[in-house]
Amino acid sequence: MTRAGAAWAFRRGLALVLLAGLGAGFLSALRGSLRARADFVFNNGTEITTLDPATITGQPEMRVAHALYEGLTVKDPATLAPLPGVAESWEVAPDGRRYVFHLRAARWSNGDPITAEDFAWSWQRLLLSETAAPYAYQLWCVRGARAFAEAPPERRAERWREVGLSVENAHTLVVELDEPVPWFLTLTSSPALFPVHRASLERVREREPERWPSQWLRPGRLITNGPFKLVERRVNDRLRLVKNQEYWDADAVAFGSLDVLAIESLSTMLNLYLAGEIDWLDRVPTDLVPALLERPDFRPAPYLATYFYRVNTTRPPFDDARVRRALALAIDRRAICEKILKKGEHPCFSLTPEGLEGYPRPELAHAADGDPARAFAADLAEARALLVEAGYGPGGRPFPTLEIHFNTSEAQRDVAEVVGDTWTRALGVPVRYLNQEWKVYLETQKRLEYDVSRSSWIGDYPDANNFLEAFRGGGENNRTGWRNARYDERLVAAARELDPGRRLALLAEAEGILLAELPILPIYGYVSQNLVSTRLDGFHPNVLDEHPPKFWRWKSAPEPRRRASAPQPAPSAPADSPR
Amino acid sequence: MILFLVRRALWFLLTLWVVATLSFVLMRSVRGGPFSGERALHPSVEAALRERYHLDWPMWKQYLQYVGPLNLDGHGPRFVGGDGSDRFTGLFALDLGPSFHYRDFTVDDILRQSLPVSLALGALALAWALILGLTAGVLSALWRGRALDVGVRLVATLGIALPNFVLAGLLVLALSFGAGLLPPAGWGEPRHALLPSFVLGAPFAAYVARLTRSGMLEVLSQDFVRTAVAKGLPRRTVVLRHALRAGILPVVSYLGPAAAGILTGSLVVEKIFAIPGTGTHFVNSALNRDYTLAMGVTLLYTALVFALNTLVDVAYTLLDPRIRLEDA
């Protein structure tokens, strides 16, 4: 072949390759074009890490889990009170240590019946150390569960027989607890205790022994028991869920399909919401909050989470409680909430947030005057006096430079600068700022290589214990080096206490100790920031910011066809064939 | 030419190995691990996860397992996690391993899902760059010094100077919210691809226009063009068949870096337009300390850039008879 011929052939070839590439591009772009928009579309904010309910911890994962699975109980969308789920009814013994659950005749998405054995097996799987379930400890309240979880493999069978979990018959599950756990019925409605379909998991494990952990949760293989089931999953794009016709309460589920998007960019998600492509966002760009507050569909609400600074109590001068108290008093919480955050966050003087029913929440002692400015001035005066008492400032040593440590983000920096500015101007404490990328920041905090470090805690269930437990001496979530025997004692005593009022009083006593010692400096209480279509019914603001999809429906849409009396739900919508 | 390709293939393997080793060392020496979070894991849970992903092994053994081809994991059946029954694993077995962060996927799964999206986006962007750039460049060279030329050069300078997120914002404002023509973001239908591919291709179109213009200007003043004109050939034939072929050589040599730039530069555009491509993983995998995914994406991009550059070298010889690859 001549060179010119080769060149010609090559150019033709190149053109063909380019054309083929473009064609392939279009085809892959076209692949989804037959897919109509789902009945309801919400943005989850990120790609979820897994669909395995036993190992999830994040809110995005939980949102999907609440659509795909159902526990023994479900939460009321407004009050969060336990409602019947797979369990039709239950009895609690007077001492709060024994629960008998009566399961209804519910089915998995493949038609298999759900039995008490399914729950026993799933809970056993949760406890096993190989599952590496972060929330396995939530089940340690069951008698013998912790001993089973920590037993060597050869003693497991023996230990399992001692666990307070018995299957009386296919529809009766008895759970015995070591101590009364007032929030146990909240746990049974949370993902860690959701049932997993044993047969399908084991089938995949047998066929693909090396790769099954990434295989059994695939669309088409995953069998679930919730109001929706998985039909499609594309990483960083979307999950398509359709109504599960086998679900026991399928008639009450209004939406035929859900799309769960994984958009991370705040402005992109807002654009899509404004263009009507998304119906619910769980967060909004901070600079647009004042404008959004004018809209009826933006509904910030108190949320069970606290923003605080950790103090490294192993590092002088922060080992002195007076210094920590001075720092805690000299934080202009009102300025932070009103000038920076603006969504209705509220100044917070305790670790536990508002919204814990019956809990006599203590606060760190501070001046409470009708006039906030005057009160803050009094707090600053006390803070200065405390520092002098500790030997710093006028007549004492100069205070060493303090470093505020936070994860890289504009919002964190803004808060840190307000706090640091007050400390410098009012207390004469020189302040430096250190921002680190998220994982580095976590590691620095874990190794106690900071002075003061930004933190937050989000409640799993509405009980003070969920917050206070974190600061038990030596716990992995303590990360302040603080340890107080009296504090730990109160927590243990509260766990043993049968009387609900006295239990909460003991917890409040513990928090009182924490707020006198102040290994943490509380700053503000979070609000959820839902931007959600006003047409949506069954979506209520609540302190856990949890919104079970089972209850969602359109207000103004024509009444979904309800067949309350029809025994057999006829598959009316072609929801199962999105492709 | 064949010798050249064989040599290139050997270099390719060596490059991949060096990149794999470097990225392995770099990833592992960064502070913070894949399993940390605001809510710390119970020590027993963390230990179980480290065991499942072999992070409890000494570093050299982890490295050998990652590169392969022999599976060093001989622990037999386990309740959770692979059972080590595969004999071969690692890079040499074309296995990039499980993702540490997206636990339901292997790195292969993730790349298989996201790469076609990025390639489609990149191909479209390259198409925009070539169609707009070549047209503008040729016209600009032919009407040198006239209003059209000045206009093209002005737009080209703007196109190079404007960051793509600014351009994206302006276009979304104008075309999505102003005219209501195109969706502001998303992926799945052809209309979704128009805006992002244009935004991604625009700076490259501007650069191509400038390269074409200067290339054409140089060629148009050469003897063989004058000869062609003197022979009485139509102006169109002279420009398209004689001048353009020589004039676009700089553009061809720019195509390799341009394609690489479009691929690696797509992450911003992918984020702005919520496109499920590989670019997002390029950043997020490092942030998540998803060791295997970060290394997988790095290796993939290495391979792509290497392949593109080789393709350009080959194309160059075929367009310019003076260059032979044996000498390269």
Side-chain angles (χ1 to χ4, degrees):
Chain A
M1 193 159 45
T2 63
R3 179 165 286 278
W8 180 85
F10 178 79
R11 268 181 297 160
R12 279 298 145 91
L14 196 68
L16 274 178
V17 167
L18 275 178
L19 276 179
L22 285 180
F26 269 110
L27 276 184
S28 93
L30 272 167
R31 195 148 71 173
S33 65
L34 296 175
R35 175 169 51 200
R37 184 189 191 280
D39 293 348
F40 188 81
V41 183
F42 72 90
N43 184 39
N44 215 2
T46 186
E47 175 61 36
I48 58 172
T49 57
T50 178
L51 288 167
D52 180 354
T55 60
I56 65 180
T57 54
Q59 212 182 16
E61 286 81 7
M62 298 213 181
R63 286 195 197 110
V64 176
H66 280 290
L68 287 177
Y69 300 88
E70 185 175 273
L72 291 171
T73 56
V74 297
K75 292 186 192 86
D76 183 287
T79 65
L80 299 175
L83 298 176
V86 175
E88 208 164 20
S89 62
W90 54 85
E91 290 122 35
V92 189
D95 67 356
R97 289 192 171 132
R98 189 181 142 95
Y99 288 73
V100 181
F101 293 97
H102 303 285
L103 277 59
R104 68 179 79 242
R107 282 174 310 211
W108 293 94
S109 55
N110 69 347
D112 288 355
I114 302 174
T115 62
E117 188 57 52
D118 284 324
F119 279 90
W121 182 80
S122 303
W123 292 6
Q124 182 187 56
R125 172 175 179 270
L126 175 76
L127 286 169
L128 284 172
S129 63
E130 301 93 306
T131 309
Y135 280 172
Y137 70 86
Q138 290 189 342
L139 207 56
W140 286 357
C141 57
V142 173
R143 180 166 51 76
R146 183 166 190 176
F148 166 75
E150 288 169 355
E154 64 275 10
R155 304 204 50 196
R156 273 179 186 162
E158 174 193 332
R159 284 283 159 81
W160 180 247
R161 282 192 290 276
E162 292 156 19
V163 173
L165 201 60
S166 45
V167 177
E168 299 231 316
N169 58 51
H171 291 108
T172 312
L173 184 71
V174 181
V175 185
E176 285 161 303
L177 309 181
D178 273 329
E179 317 287 352
V181 176
W183 58 89
F184 189 69
L185 290 174
T186 306
L187 291 187
T188 53
S189 65
S190 69
L193 300 197
F194 284 173
V196 170
H197 189 252
R198 179 179 187 174
S200 62
L201 186 155
E202 288 182 340
R203 201 176 316 123
V204 175
R205 190 168 68 198
E206 214 156 280
R207 281 200 206 139
E208 296 168 69
E210 188 72 278
R211 248 163 285 282
W212 72 272
S214 63
Q215 291 292 329
W216 70 279
L217 298 152
R218 294 295 163 88
R221 287 179 160 177
L222 180 63
I223 308 291
T224 57
N225 73 325
F228 294 90
K229 61 182 180 181
L230 179 70
V231 290
E232 198 178 348
R233 180 173 184 195
R234 294 182 52 81
V235 180
N236 262 346
D237 186 7
R238 75 182 66 216
L239 289 118
R240 166 59 67 90
L241 314 180
V242 299
K243 183 169 169 174
N244 174 10
Q245 299 293 351
E246 298 285 346
Y247 179 58
W248 66 270
D249 204 8
D251 288 349
V253 178
F255 291 137
S257 55
L258 295 181
D259 269 349
V260 185
L261 307 189
I263 302 170
E264 292 184 353
S265 158
L266 290 170
S267 44
T268 304
M269 59 177 91
L270 184 63
N271 281 347
L272 283 170
Y273 178 85
L274 295 175
E277 310 244 350
I278 296 182
D279 302 307
W280 168 33
L281 299 184
D282 71 327
R283 70 195 81 163
V284 296
T286 310
D287 18 330
L288 293 179
V289 164
L292 287 169
L293 281 171
E294 315 267 298
R295 296 171 61 109
D297 50 352
F298 183 51
R299 296 193 245 168
Y303 178 37
L304 207 63
T306 317
Y307 185 103
F308 56 89
Y309 279 0
R310 288 173 203 264
V311 185
N312 185 351
T313 61
T314 63
R315 231 182 224 191
F318 312 107
D319 51 349
D320 187 333
R322 289 171 298 189
V323 171
R324 299 197 295 264
R325 179 162 163 78
L327 295 177
L329 285 171
I331 295 177
D332 195 349
R333 296 173 175 82
R334 207 163 53 95
I336 292 168
C337 292
E338 288 170 9
K339 303 243 166 66
I340 298 179
L341 307 161
K342 298 183 233 174
K343 285 186 290 286
E345 287 86 351
H346 39 270
C348 186
F349 293 89
S350 59
L351 171 65
T352 53
E354 288 173 14
L356 298 171
E357 214 177 311
Y359 177 64
R361 189 167 65 112
E363 286 194 335
L364 80 96
H366 63 285
D369 196 313
D371 174 32
R374 229 176 27 223
F376 187 53
D379 282 341
L380 288 182
E382 192 197 334
R384 272 190 293 266
L386 278 166
L387 278 193
V388 171
E389 200 186 313
Y392 296 98
R397 291 160 286 167
F399 201 92
T401 301
L402 178 158
E403 193 170 71
I404 301 183
H405 173 235
F406 51 94
N407 55 304
T408 309
S409 122
E410 280 304 310
Q412 311 304 352
R413 177 172 286 280
D414 289 347
V415 174
E417 280 176 351
V418 172
V419 173
D421 189 51
T422 317
W423 286 348
T424 306
R425 278 191 300 114
L427 304 183
V429 172
V431 172
R432 218 173 29 213
Y433 302 92
L434 173 67
N435 73 87
Q436 289 182 330
E437 179 270 334
W438 177 246
K439 293 274 186 178
V440 181
Y441 147 86
L442 289 172
E443 189 68 26
T444 303
Q445 201 177 70
K446 185 174 156 191
R447 296 193 196 177
L448 290 181
E449 290 172 1
Y450 66 88
D451 295 336
V452 171
S453 177
R454 174 263 139 183
S455 265
S456 61
W457 192 261
I458 303 172
D460 297 315
Y461 44 87
D463 193 280
N465 160 73
N466 191 224
F467 286 79
L468 299 174
E469 199 63 38
F471 292 93
R472 212 188 259 271
E476 63 276 5
N477 281 312
N478 184 310
R479 305 202 286 272
T480 60
W482 181 73
R483 183 186 287 272
N484 185 298
R486 284 192 304 133
Y487 179 82
D488 295 356
E489 257 167 44
R490 295 295 187 288
L491 291 186
V492 173
R496 300 232 168 94
E497 181 56 57
L498 294 184
D499 178 67
R502 279 219 299 280
R503 190 183 76 87
L504 292 177
L506 280 166
L507 289 176
E509 249 178 73
E511 184 164 12
I513 296 170
L514 184 84
L515 295 174
E517 291 267 316
L518 290 166
I520 56 146
L521 316 176
I523 298 181
Y524 69 85
Y526 278 87
V527 289
S528 55
Q529 14 178 331
N530 292 307
L531 184 63
V532 57
S533 168
T534 47
R535 280 177 58 216
L536 186 66
D537 204 7
F539 183 104
H540 304 270
N542 60 53
V543 290
L544 287 182
D545 199 18
E546 206 174 291
H547 310 282
K550 147 172 196 181
F551 301 101
W552 298 344
R553 60 189 64 250
W554 291 127
K555 269 178 203 161
S556 46
E559 263 301 295
R561 271 169 293 170
R562 286 192 127 199
R563 291 171 305 271
S565 54
Q568 207 60 33
S572 57
D576 289 85
S577 49
R579 272 177 287 267
Chain B
M1 171 90 115
I2 295 197
L3 183 71
F4 166 81
L5 287 178
V6 170
R7 279 226 311 257
R8 270 295 166 99
L10 289 177
W11 274 111
F12 177 66
L13 291 180
L14 186 71
T15 310
L16 276 189
W17 174 73
V18 170
V19 169
T21 309
L22 266 180
S23 54
F24 184 91
V25 172
L26 283 176
M27 260 332 269
R28 300 300 168 115
S29 47
V30 178
R31 220 171 190 214
F35 309 125
S36 57
E38 175 96 62
R39 189 180 292 257
L41 295 175
H42 191 269
S44 66
V45 174
E46 191 165 347
L49 280 172
R50 292 179 66 83
E51 191 196 331
R52 185 189 306 176
Y53 291 98
H54 303 317
L55 293 181
D56 53 339
W57 288 4
M59 208 52 90
W60 62 267
K61 198 174 170 192
Q62 289 183 48
Y63 175 73
L64 285 186
Q65 175 83 349
Y66 182 68
V67 176
L70 284 180
N71 190 355
L72 307 176
D73 186 358
H75 51 53
R78 282 197 296 190
F79 190 77
V80 168
D83 68 346
S85 58
D86 281 6
R87 276 189 57 203
F88 299 108
T89 181
L91 291 183
F92 280 109
L94 295 179
D95 176 5
L96 294 169
S99 164
F100 280 64
H101 184 77
Y102 305 116
R103 313 234 175 105
D104 303 351
F105 294 97
T106 63
V107 174
D108 302 40
D109 293 329
I110 294 171
L111 296 183
R112 209 174 301 128
Q113 280 195 12
S114 62
L115 186 63
V117 175
S118 279
L119 288 184
L121 182 68
L124 281 175
L126 205 57
W128 277 114
L130 286 179
I131 293 167
L132 293 180
L134 286 176
T135 314
V138 169
L139 294 180
S140 179
L142 292 180
W143 277 277
R144 180 184 185 182
R146 310 266 190 82
L148 182 83
D149 180 31
V150 176
V152 165
R153 278 190 291 163
L154 192 74
V155 172
T157 310
L158 262 182
I160 292 174
L162 262 190
N164 51 14
F165 55 88
V166 175
L167 185 62
L170 292 175
L171 286 177
V172 166
L173 201 60
L175 296 178
S176 300
F177 289 104
L181 289 175
L182 292 168
W187 190 254
E189 295 169 38
R191 64 196 177 103
H192 284 134
L194 284 178
L195 265 186
S197 60
F198 178 79
V199 169
L200 185 55
F204 297 94
Y207 207 77
V208 166
R210 300 213 323 193
L211 285 176
T212 312
R213 180 178 178 274
S214 57
M216 287 298 284
L217 284 179
E218 197 191 318
V219 172
L220 282 174
S221 62
Q222 281 184 10
D223 290 345
F224 76 95
V225 174
R226 206 171 306 131
T227 312
V229 176
K231 276 200 301 188
L233 289 176
R235 186 176 151 94
R236 197 172 136 244
T237 314
V238 174
V239 170
L240 290 183
R241 296 200 54 146
H242 296 214
L244 188 60
R245 197 173 148 192
I248 62 165
L249 276 179
V251 175
V252 173
S253 60
Y254 173 63
L255 274 184
I262 282 178
L263 278 177
T264 49
S266 69
L267 52 100
V268 177
V269 172
E270 283 180 14
K271 187 152 192 190
I272 295 174
F273 290 98
I275 294 168
T278 322
T280 324
H281 297 301
F282 206 47
V283 180
N284 285 0
S285 61
L287 294 181
N288 291 330
R289 304 292 187 277
D290 192 340
Y291 297 143
T292 42
L293 183 56
M295 289 187 283
V297 176
T298 310
L299 287 174
L300 176 75
Y301 277 36
T302 310
L304 280 175
V305 170
F306 204 99
L308 285 169
N309 280 332
T310 307
L311 201 67
V312 167
D313 285 345
V314 172
Y316 220 69
T317 58
L318 298 179
L319 281 172
D320 188 341
R322 286 168 300 184
I323 296 171
R324 287 163 185 247
L325 284 180
E326 280 82 355
D327 313 332

